[in-house]
């Protein structure tokens, strides 16, 4: 049993460590934007935070598509069927391209209209719209790079995925600093500098993915296979990946509506909420990496037909994630005083932020467990439908209506509204745990194909 434990933890660490580094770099760049703009001004920080809700929506789309790729690619990797993995990538890239082009056109053509979804403050709308016009270009680049990086992780090449993301995103930090502060004689572009830095990083990330694809380290890209007509595989992708995509889009849009609800209360709430989200995202990187790593590891085991090992390793993943979630909450409590050193907020915004960090300290435990189970363990076994139904009911039938009523009908204080919105993860726990114990999520979803 000890040898099995060591094997599991070693395999999980081999996936989780590079994913954690990659997620940390990604979040560090986003956080660097917030930190740097905090020195420019609270208004600029708030405007970019609201404009980036569309990037947040897009991240939900990519998370859903990537979950579909991971579900299928990891199981096919367990069988070493790289042709099927290529075909899955092609299906995912086509779906991602359609969605990103639509959102990019909206960001470039009607940014003011999009900004009005989140705020009625004309200053925030003006600054955010200028940012969106530039950043929209980066959305299209991600349609290939994000799917490709996900496929690398599913084939146990997470270190390369991390190197590519790290290279591009470190460049983003450097360019942000150059254009925000005018380092080295560059023009001080402020918010526009952040947008230029991000677009450049996404282009570099895309080019690095293309270079690796051409090298063919694991398999040679065959466009006829990748973009061919694979009727049964396409049916499987839509059966398993589309519920994950709907799930993550429903979750992301609902979470974005939380920001819209808070954004229509006052500017101090917007600033405090964006800082709290930044700090929480940085602290929960390991929790989300555990979910991603467990999904790949369990998917490979299912593809190899090791069903009893899957059950044991799923249980081990739960224990690890619960412990990490509790430690994350403790870390959030300990660093609360340090957060105020890095941000120049009004007195009222600082009071809001202090309360939000307290709530975040226990919120992350529920978030960690639900992410592992719904987006990690269940999807590893091809079960994306349960999470879709669960999140739609909890977020759209309970949390969003309660948030709207509390803010605009009952007109409760902002922090009461924030507390109500942060109950969403805890409504899910009983039904999610019951589904986990049933093992109805555990299925081999691969097929035998001739290509």
């Amino acid at each position: 049993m000890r040898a099995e434990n060591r094997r599991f933890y070693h395999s999980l660490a081999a996936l989780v460590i590079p994913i954690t580094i990659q997620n940390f770099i990604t979040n560090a760049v986003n956080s660097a934007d917030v930190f740097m703009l905090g020195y420019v001004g609270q208004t600029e920080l708030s405007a970019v935070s609201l404009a980036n809700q569309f990037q947040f929506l897009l991240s939900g789309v990519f998370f859903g598509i990537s979950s579909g790729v991971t579900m299928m690619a990891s199981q096919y990797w367990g069988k070493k069927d790289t042709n099927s993995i290529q075909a899955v990538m092609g299906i995912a890239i086509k779906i991602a391209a359609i969605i990103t082009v639509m959102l990019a056109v909206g960001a470039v053509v009607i940014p003011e209209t999009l900004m009005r979804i989140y705020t009625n403050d004309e200053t925030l709308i003006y600054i955010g719209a200028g940012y969106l016009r530039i950043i929209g270009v980066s959305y299209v680049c991600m349609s290939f790079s994000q799917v490709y990086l996900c496929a690398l992780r599913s084939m146990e090449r997470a270190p390369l995925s991390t190197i590519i993301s790290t290279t591009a995103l470190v460049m983003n930090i450097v360019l942000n600093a150059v254009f925000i502060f005018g380092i080295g004689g560059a023009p001080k572009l402020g918010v526009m500098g952040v947008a230029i830095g991000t677009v450049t990083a996404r282009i570099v990330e895309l080019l690095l993915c293309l270079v690796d694809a051409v090298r063919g380290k694991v398999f040679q890209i065959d466009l006829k296979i990748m973009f061919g007509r694979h009727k049964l595989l396409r049916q499987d992708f839509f059966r398993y990946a589309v519920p994950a995509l709907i799930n993550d889009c429903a979750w992301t849009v609902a979470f974005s509506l939380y920001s819209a609800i808070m954004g229509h209360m006052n500017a101090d709430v917007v600033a405090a909420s964006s800082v709290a989200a930044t700090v929480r995202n940085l602290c929960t990187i390991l929790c989300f990496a555990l979910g991603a790593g467990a999904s790949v590891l369990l998917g490979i085991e299912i593809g190899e037909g090791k069903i009893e090992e899957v059950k044991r390793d799923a249980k081990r993943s739960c224990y690890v994630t619960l412990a990490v979630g509790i430690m994350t909450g403790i870390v959030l409590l300990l660093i609360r005083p340090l957060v105020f050193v890095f941000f120049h907020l009004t007195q009222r915004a600082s009071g809001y932020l202090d309360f939000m960090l307290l709530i975040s300290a226990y919120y992350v435990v529920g978030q960690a467990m639900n992410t592992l189970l719904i987006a990690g363990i269940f999807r590893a076994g091809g079960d994306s439908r349960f999470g879709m139904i669960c999140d739609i009911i909890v977020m759209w039938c309970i949390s969003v209506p309660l948030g709207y009523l509390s803010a605009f009908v009952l007109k409760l204080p902002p922090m009461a509204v924030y507390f109500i919105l942060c109950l969403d993860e805890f409504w899910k726990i009983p039904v999610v745990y019951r589904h986990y114990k049933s093992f109805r999520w555990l299925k081999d979803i691969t097929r035998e194909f001739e290509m």
Side-chain angles (χ1 to χ4, degrees), residues 59-123:
S59 70
V61 170
F62 281 121
F63 191 77
I65 293 174
S66 297
S67 292
V69 173
T70 299
M71 270 192 288
M72 300 185 71
S74 60
Q75 289 201 18
Y76 279 114
W77 182 245
K79 298 179 182 299
K80 296 298 183 282
D81 182 353
T82 56
N83 283 345
S84 293
I85 293 174
Q86 282 199 69
V88 167
M89 288 172 59
I91 295 167
I93 289 168
K94 285 184 279 190
I95 296 172
I98 292 169
I99 296 172
T100 53
V101 168
M102 291 172 58
L103 191 54
V105 169
V108 174
V109 177
I110 53 168
E112 292 88 356
T113 303
L114 296 181
M115 283 297 298
R116 291 184 192 281
I117 296 173
Y118 295 99
T119 184
N120 49 13
D121 186 309
E122 292 299 326
T123 302

Side-chain angles (χ1 to χ4, degrees), residues 1 5 8-9 12 286-287 290-291 294 298 310-328 365 368-370 372-373 377 433 436-437 439:
M1 184 60 69
N5 283 337
F8 166 74
Y9 292 123
L12 186 63
L286 181 56
C287 298
L290 283 166
L298 297 177
V310 172
K311 293 180 180 180
R312 288 195 297 269
D313 289 347
K315 186 176 181 179
R316 292 174 178 132
S317 299
C318 288
Y319 287 145
V320 173
T321 301
L322 179 60
V324 170
I326 292 171
M327 287 189 292
T328 300
V365 180
M369 291 305 300
N370 286 326
L372 171 74
L373 290 165
I377 292 174
Y433 180 73
Y436 163 69
K437 295 297 290 184
F439 292 107

Side-chain angles (χ1 to χ4, degrees), residues 17-30:
I17 291 173
I19 292 173
T20 300
I21 295 171
Q22 181 176 345
N23 290 349
F24 175 77
I25 295 295
T26 301
N27 280 278
V29 171
N30 295 336

Side-chain angles (χ1 to χ4, degrees), residues 245-369:
L245 177 59
I246 294 172
N247 182 183
D248 292 323
C249 287
W251 184 90
T252 306
V253 173
F255 219 89
S256 187
L257 281 178
Y258 294 177
S259 296
I261 290 170
M262 303 301 291
H264 282 85
M265 302 188 81
N266 64 65
D268 287 323
V269 171
V270 174
S273 181
S274 53
V275 173
T278 298
V279 175
R280 189 169 68 200
N281 288 342
L282 281 172
C283 289
T284 53
I285 288 168
L286 181 56
C287 298
F288 284 100
L290 283 166
S295 182
V296 173
L297 182 60
L298 297 177
I300 292 171
E301 290 177 347
I302 293 171
E304 293 173 340
K306 301 175 180 177
I307 303 304
E308 291 305 315
E309 282 191 24
V310 172
K311 293 180 180 180
R312 288 195 297 269
D313 289 347
K315 186 176 181 179
R316 292 174 178 132
S317 299
C318 288
Y319 287 145
V320 173
T321 301
L322 179 60
V324 170
I326 292 171
M327 287 189 292
T328 300
I330 294 172
V331 169
L332 268 169
L333 289 175
L334 293 176
I335 67 171
R336 273 172 60 225
L338 298 175
V339 173
F340 298 95
V341 175
F342 296 99
F343 296 96
H344 303 285
L345 304 178
T346 65
Q347 185 175 355
R348 185 169 67 163
S350 296
Y352 290 154
L353 176 58
D354 191 51
F355 185 83
M356 289 175 177
L357 292 175
L358 277 174
I359 291 177
S360 296
Y362 66 81
Y363 181 82
V364 294
V365 180
Q367 187 179 36
M369 291 305 300

Side-chain angles (χ1 to χ4, degrees), residues 371-435:
T371 299
L372 171 74
L373 290 165
I374 293 175
I377 292 174
F378 297 166
R379 291 183 185 178
D383 184 357
S384 53
R385 188 169 175 270
F386 173 84
M388 176 186 71
I389 295 171
C390 181
D391 276 334
I392 287 175
I393 291 174
V394 168
M395 303 194 80
W396 287 95
C397 299
I398 300 176
S399 291
V400 170
L402 281 179
Y404 181 86
L405 288 171
S406 62
F408 304 120
V409 178
L410 301 177
K411 299 187 183 299
L412 297 180
M415 291 304 93
V417 176
Y418 188 81
F419 173 77
I420 290 169
L421 290 172
C422 286
L423 289 173
D424 58 348
E425 295 292 350
F426 296 94
W427 303 122
K428 305 177 194 176
I429 288 176
V431 291
V432 170
Y433 180 73
R434 182 179 177 183
H435 187 66

Side-chain angles (χ1 to χ4, degrees), residues 7-19 156-159 293:
R7 175 203 58 79
F8 166 74
Y9 292 123
H10 180 271
S11 299
L12 186 63
L15 288 165
V16 168
I17 291 173
I19 292 173
E156 300 177 282
R157 298 185 70 205

